[in-house]
Amino acid sequence: MKMVTKVAYANMKYHKSKNILTGIAIFLTTLLLFLVPAVGFDSVELQFAVTNKLYPTWQALYRNVDTDTVNRLRAHHDMETYGLRSDVGKIANEEAEISMYYMDETGMELYRIELTEGHVPKEKSEIMVSKGMLDSLGIHAGLGDTVRFPVQKYVGNQLDYIQETEFQICGFLPDSEAALENQTYMALISREYMEEIIPGEEIRYRFLFRVSADERTEIDKLKDQIKGIAGKFGISEAEIGFNDDYLYANYTDPAQLPIICLIMLVIIVAGVITIYSIYYISMTQRIQEFGRIKAMGATRKQVRQIVLREGFCVALIALPLGLAVSTVLLKPLLLYFVNMAGKSAFRQGYEEILRNGECNLYPWWLYLLTCVVALVTVYLSLLHPMQKAAGISEVEAMRYQEKQSGSRERKGYQDLTVGRLAKTNLYGDRKKSVLTILTMSITGMFVMVVATALSCASPSESADSDLYGQYELSLDTESGNQEHPEKEWDRVIANNPLTAELKAQIERLDGVERVETFTNVMVESDLQYQGEIAANQVLGLPESCFEELKKGIVEGKASWSDLLEGDKVIVNKALLYWCPEVKVGDQIQIRIEEEGQMVSRDLEVIAIGDYRFGLTGFCDLIFSKEAADSLLRQDCTGSFQVLAEKKYDAKLEKELQELAASSGLVAMQTWKEKYDFWKNSMNITQIVCIAFLCILSMICIMNLINTMIHSVHIRKKELGMMQAIGMTDAQMAKMLRMEGLFYTSGTLLLTIGAGSILGYPVFLWMKAQHLYSVTHYHYPTEAAVIVVVVMVAVQLLLTTALARSVKKESLIDRIRFSE
């Protein structure tokens, strides 16, 4: 076997050009095999590290738990630790959201709440606040100072009237960047104060807890355990809240492994196809070589080992190089992705952990996994070439030699042209030509499928899906705040700020094409969500929207006259998630409160439609505008949808904002806001996919390079003889370009054709899953053009380089050439 290794090593050095290509393919495959799972694993680990550093540490909570249930839950044998939080009320502030809580010490620990100074509230008048909260109220006070806050306590699920209450500041909480940016703060009060303002029997807690579990416990099983405990104490699933960030950071997620395995499988397939193609194409050239080796006494097993060890010799050079380059690239890649995430406390935590080396980015098992998978990839690539080499007999090798010397019949031509020469060449080894095209096309088709997904998930399309026009002016309402009853929906529509005068003002602004009016009516229905009567929104659309309504119907049918009648309705498909029993032909009863009386109306479901969020919003039942307006005497205009000449116009946006602010109780959304949100969300995904596809494409191009080099190499003698009888250098270069063009054309035909066809089902799946709010199919024209340009450019550069390399040798040397 020592001799076998020597022969394999000698072969590796002798067939240098082929093995360089193989080495590049193995290097790129190793690069992907390491970086893809490493970036994925390290991103998750960094996220988990930041989560464990900044986020609450409770696994789950039970809402609306009374004191008796709290005492019984404490005694449950699965409870590892538990704490209490009670939402007492709010401190009224127009500029910021300030929640008032009671928490016990364990609850504060589970929420990671630490004092910057002072102590937790113990006396009735004590309160713990933050500097940012005081600033938002315009109060300057220090530790021990007495201040007055406008307190609104909760009565049931509603906020009571404001009561000015005097407190003494006993401690200060830190202000996070997120709290300062979003203007959301908390104030902690004592148990004594909570029991004074809320009767004991009305106090409800959020029971925060962790159950006993180790890190190998699967998240789904842990959630089932928590749901089981809730069931024993009569707590419904609707009252359970899971701290998913903490759960995914500390327990096993069974969904992660299949995703990583799928990506690695794609890489393995691309690597196997490329390396196999390189060895298969060169095998015809080496039939005589293996025949001679067998004639000297080598067994089939030894021949297989020679091929295998030759491949592994190349792998032992390319694999460590791939691991080394991957290791160097990993940390800069992670920092690059972190910097793209924008400013946040989470990003700062990422950077701090990365720079301080608090998280192990290079686990030993990742290197072992990469090595094992890369070597398995090489082994799978060599299986067929090994069998083919071992199956060559001495007699077959001699016959093949005879064929090489001139017994192979070729189709003759009376007039020989460069094109006919190229055709004869390609036709002479049809199997090699087809294999090259197929292996390159498989990777190309995958590129087109991913490109289709990326083109359909464009930020612009997603923003279009989320908003009907470019601007939306809607009612700014609030429910359950007794201090602001004027924000209740029924009070707002009694003096609706979305008036005909406001609409006319908007239509007169430069850049506005038209304004559509949508009607929204709040109703109760006999539909039930999780056993409770549902509150639904009825949406009334103008006739200009009917074509889109009609196109979105997936079951049943509707005409505009049906929707005008007022007793027929289209159901938004999103409702079926909560009420899957709803079907075409059903009767739904709705109830509307008017002047203190509930008025009922029966509606027939005539169709079910699947619509973009920008058209229907959170509305489940769709009428014509006229039918929706007839439900109440008041003006139920819910929004003005402004369609403008441009997607974004800074001047127009400012003018609309001023109109909204002056109208009162009017909120505005813009297409630009939606676009910026989706652009930030998709940015990293697009870059990762593009980088991944670029490396896969490089692996794929190795096939073309190998085929062309091999074709020229074995025909050096033939090319020399043809030039000796008059073929010019230009004609030889043209012939090589025509051969390369054949491979390129065949590859592009399959890549663009089949890849485009396969991409459409991916779009349909994304649309059905509402991924990135995808609604329209967009052909990846840019990706197709790039694939064509790159393939043609590589082919032209390669054939030019090959023609020049051939010309460097003299005609005598080429004619004497013998493999």
Side-chain angles (χ1 to χ4, degrees):
M1 295 306 285
K2 190 174 181 182
M3 181 58 69
V4 169
T5 303
K6 286 183 177 180
V7 172
Y9 181 69
N11 282 347
M12 182 192 74
K13 292 194 295 182
Y14 184 73
H15 299 286
K16 214 175 343 182
S17 60
K18 177 206 70 176
N19 284 315
I20 287 173
L21 291 175
T22 305
I24 293 172
I26 295 171
F27 167 78
L28 293 172
T29 303
T30 304
L31 204 68
L32 281 180
L33 285 173
F34 183 86
L35 284 178
V36 170
V39 169
F41 172 79
D42 287 342
S43 297
V44 171
E45 286 298 302
L46 284 166
Q47 180 179 340
F48 292 168
V50 176
T51 297
N52 284 328
K53 195 171 186 178
L54 302 176
Y55 278 41
T57 60
W58 45 271
Q59 296 168 344
L61 60 79
Y62 297 142
R63 302 183 189 89
N64 297 321
V65 179
D66 58 33
T67 304
D68 180 59
T69 306
V70 166
N71 292 331
R72 290 190 292 130
L73 281 168
R74 282 172 170 166
H76 194 277
H77 61 276
D78 282 342
M79 290 296 165
E80 180 183 276
T81 188
Y82 50 83
L84 299 177
R85 166 188 146 188
S86 182
D87 296 13
V88 178
K90 290 189 176 183
I91 294 176
N93 188 349
E94 293 294 331
E95 303 298 326
E97 180 84 7
I98 305 173
S99 300
M100 182 178 283
Y101 303 133
Y102 159 74
M103 285 191 202
D104 64 5
E105 290 190 15
T106 310
M108 291 177 65
E109 289 174 8
L110 291 172
Y111 266 107
R112 291 189 180 277
I113 295 175
E114 297 179 357
L115 284 74
T116 56
E117 58 179 315
H119 60 83
V120 297
K122 295 177 182 176
E123 302 298 327
K124 181 177 68 175
S125 62
E126 292 182 331
I127 192 168
M128 191 158 54
V129 296
S130 69
K131 300 283 188 183
M133 173 195 147
L134 292 178
D135 290 341
S136 70
L137 291 164
I139 296 174
H140 301 282
L143 198 65
D145 289 348
T146 299
V147 292
R148 294 182 67 84
F149 293 131
V151 175
Q152 287 181 275
K153 69 176 183 178
Y154 279 115
V155 178
N157 292 322
Q158 296 188 338
L159 287 169
D160 203 355
Y161 297 105
I162 290 176
Q163 293 181 348
E164 288 288 336
T165 308
E166 193 172 89
F167 291 98
Q168 184 183 40
I169 298 174
C170 67
F172 278 101
L173 298 165
D175 284 309
S176 67
E177 284 192 17
L180 292 170
E181 182 179 346
N182 300 321
Q183 292 284 287
T184 54
Y185 306 101
M186 72 167 73
L188 299 184
I189 48 89
S190 65
R191 186 186 190 95
E192 188 177 345
Y193 176 71
M194 176 185 68
E195 292 174 343
E196 180 181 280
I197 65 171
I198 302 176
E201 67 276 5
E202 293 182 13
I203 294 176
R204 293 294 180 268
Y205 294 100
R206 295 194 178 204
F207 187 82
L208 320 162
F209 63 93
R210 289 202 304 263
V211 296
S212 302
D214 60 47
E215 60 184 16
R216 293 186 300 275
T217 304
E218 289 188 4
I219 293 170
D220 290 340
K221 291 181 179 178
L222 189 60
K223 287 186 174 182
D224 288 340
Q225 181 185 356
I226 291 167
K227 290 175 184 177
I229 296 172
K232 292 177 183 177
F233 291 90
I235 301 170
S236 70
E237 286 193 21
E239 299 295 344
I240 303 173
F242 292 105
N243 186 0
D244 286 324
D245 291 319
Y246 179 80
L247 293 178
Y248 284 99
N250 292 278
Y251 301 98
T252 303
D253 178 15
Q256 289 179 9
L257 188 59
I259 294 171
I260 294 174
C261 289
L262 180 63
I263 295 172
M264 293 187 75
L265 183 62
V266 171
I267 300 167
I268 290 169
V269 169
V272 166
I273 289 172
T274 303
I275 299 168
Y276 165 74
S277 176
I278 292 171
Y279 274 96
Y280 175 82
I281 290 169
S282 67
M283 201 53 65
T284 54
Q285 177 188 346
R286 301 176 64 184
I287 287 177
Q288 302 163 37
E289 175 187 326
F290 290 115
R292 294 189 195 107
I293 291 173
K294 291 190 76 175
M296 289 188 290
T299 63
R300 290 171 62 92
K301 181 180 178 181
Q302 287 173 325
V303 172
R304 283 197 298 268
Q305 286 296 312
I306 289 171
V307 176
L308 179 65
R309 294 186 188 190
E310 182 182 341
F312 273 21
C313 283
V314 177
L316 289 176
I317 297 171
L319 203 156
L321 186 60
L323 287 175
V325 173
S326 302
T327 302
V328 172
L329 289 176
L330 180 57
K331 193 169 181 178
L333 275 175
L334 291 170
L335 282 169
Y336 176 71
F337 293 143
V338 168
N339 289 331
M340 289 183 62
K343 293 183 178 180
S344 66
F346 217 78
R347 173 192 159 179
Q348 288 183 346
Y350 264 89
E351 288 184 339
E352 186 179 334
I353 290 171
L354 267 174
R355 298 190 191 284
N356 297 340
E358 297 177 30
C359 186
N360 181 16
L361 303 178
Y362 311 99
W364 63 268
W365 58 264
L366 195 54
Y367 288 91
L368 180 61
L369 177 67
T370 304
C371 290
V372 170
V373 175
L375 291 174
V376 168
T377 302
V378 174
Y379 178 76
L380 292 174
S381 308
L382 296 173
L383 273 177
H384 186 259
M386 284 162 57
Q387 296 299 327
K388 186 173 181 179
I392 296 170
S393 67
E394 299 88 331
V395 176
E396 184 183 353
M398 292 303 295
R399 284 176 179 169
Y400 184 80
Q401 172 66 30
E402 289 170 3
K403 289 179 183 178
Q404 286 289 87
S405 62
S407 65
R408 174 181 293 176
E409 293 184 3
R410 294 188 181 184
K411 183 179 178 180
Y413 296 99
Q414 288 185 349
D415 298 317
L416 192 60
T417 64
V418 173
R420 285 176 174 175
L421 272 176
K423 179 182 176 183
T424 301
N425 233 1
L426 295 166
Y427 188 78
D429 199 342
R430 296 184 296 275
K431 199 170 181 180
K432 178 193 72 176
S433 302
V434 171
L435 178 66
T436 301
I437 291 171
L438 285 177
T439 52
M440 292 174 67
S441 299
I442 289 172
T443 307
M445 285 186 281
F446 182 76
V447 169
M448 286 299 296
V449 168
V450 176
T452 301
L454 291 177
S455 67
C456 292
S458 71
S460 178
E461 288 292 330
S462 299
D464 288 341
S465 177
D466 280 359
L467 215 60
Y468 183 75
Q470 283 69 53
Y471 306 92
E472 178 187 270
L473 276 70
S474 58
L475 297 178
D476 183 13
T477 61
E478 184 179 349
S479 178
N481 188 343
Q482 292 188 30
E483 189 63 33
H484 293 286
E486 75 281 359
K487 288 191 174 184
E488 294 286 343
W489 180 78
D490 55 348
R491 296 280 188 93
V492 173
I493 63 167
N495 188 25
N496 198 322
L498 299 177
T499 62
E501 291 77 15
L502 177 61
K503 182 179 179 180
Q505 283 181 285
I506 296 171
E507 288 174 331
R508 285 195 294 267
L509 295 175
D510 289 338
V512 174
E513 289 185 346
R514 72 179 196 274
V515 179
E516 297 289 1
T517 303
F518 286 14
T519 297
N520 290 83
V521 183
M522 297 297 296
V523 301
E524 285 186 359
S525 73
D526 57 0
L527 299 172
Q528 293 192 347
Y529 297 167
Q530 297 183 345
E532 297 183 4
I533 293 176
N536 298 90
Q537 285 193 55
V538 168
L539 173 66
L541 295 176
E543 189 173 1
S544 58
C545 298
F546 180 66
E547 281 304 312
E548 185 172 348
L549 273 180
K550 193 175 179 181
K551 287 179 183 177
I553 291 175
V554 294
E555 190 177 341
K557 59 182 180 179
S559 65
W560 184 246
S561 58
D562 289 333
L563 298 180
L564 286 171
E565 291 178 16
D567 60 352
K568 294 181 175 63
V569 66
I570 297 176
V571 167
N572 188 355
K573 188 180 177 183
L575 176 67
L576 302 187
Y577 178 82
W578 304 101
C579 305
E581 70 280 359
V582 175
K583 58 185 182 299
V584 173
D586 284 356
Q587 294 288 324
I588 298 175
Q589 186 182 79
I590 62 171
R591 293 173 294 280
I592 309 148
E593 185 177 354
E594 187 169 19
E595 296 179 356
Q597 293 185 342
M598 297 299 290
V599 180
S600 298
R601 182 177 292 195
D602 291 327
L603 306 175
E604 180 189 353
V605 178
I606 59 172
I608 295 171
D610 189 7
Y611 303 110
R612 60 187 174 115
F613 183 81
L615 181 68
T616 58
F618 294 102
C619 297
D620 304 315
L621 308 174
I622 305 168
F623 283 55
S624 65
K625 183 181 183 303
E626 291 80 357
D629 287 339
S630 69
L631 293 175
L632 281 173
R633 293 192 185 94
Q634 292 101 323
D635 179 3
C636 295
T637 299
S639 64
F640 288 152
Q641 305 292 336
V642 182
L643 288 86
E645 295 172 359
K646 299 178 182 178
K647 295 282 189 182
Y648 175 65
D649 184 332
K651 181 184 175 183
L652 177 58
E653 181 176 325
K654 184 179 179 182
E655 291 173 336
L656 287 170
Q657 285 173 338
E658 289 172 354
L659 283 176
S662 63
S663 300
L665 297 176
V666 174
M668 189 173 94
Q669 294 188 83
T670 70
W671 183 91
K672 181 68 164 52
E673 291 171 351
K674 302 289 185 183
Y675 175 81
D676 289 341
F677 169 79
W678 285 115
K679 186 178 180 181
N680 291 332
S681 299
M682 297 176 187
N683 216 1
I684 294 178
T685 302
Q686 289 178 333
I687 290 173
V688 170
C689 287
I690 291 169
F692 178 66
L693 293 179
C694 285
I695 298 177
L696 271 185
S697 301
M698 289 169 66
I699 295 174
C700 162
I701 289 170
M702 293 298 105
N703 281 323
L704 178 62
I705 296 173
N706 170 68
T707 302
M708 294 298 296
I709 290 176
H710 174 75
S711 177
V712 170
H713 183 69
I714 64 173
R715 288 188 295 149
K716 276 186 180 180
K717 185 174 183 178
E718 179 183 325
L719 291 172
M721 292 176 68
M722 291 177 68
Q723 284 199 286
I725 60 173
M727 184 185 220
T728 65
D729 289 339
Q731 287 174 323
M732 183 184 68
K734 183 180 178 181
M735 182 187 72
L736 292 176
R737 278 196 295 272
M738 292 179 74
E739 291 176 15
L741 189 60
F742 169 79
Y743 294 121
T744 302
S745 301
T747 300
L748 289 176
L749 185 65
L750 278 176
T751 294
I752 305 299
S756 301
I757 294 169
L758 292 172
Y760 191 73
V762 173
F763 153 72
L764 293 177
W765 176 78
M766 292 177 70
K767 182 180 178 182
Q769 298 297 320
H770 298 287
L771 290 177
Y772 295 114
S773 294
V774 168
T775 54
H776 295 93
Y777 173 76
H778 287 276
Y779 184 77
T781 306
E782 291 182 4
V785 170
I786 290 171
V787 169
V788 172
V789 170
V790 169
M791 287 294 299
V792 172
V794 168
Q795 179 253 319
L796 291 175
L797 289 172
L798 179 61
T799 51
T800 301
L802 285 172
R804 287 180 179 176
S805 69
V806 170
K807 285 190 293 182
K808 287 180 180 178
E809 295 184 53
S810 66
L811 282 176
I812 302 299
D813 288 338
R814 278 182 267 163
I815 292 171
R816 285 176 178 172
F817 173 80
S818 177
E819 180 58 35

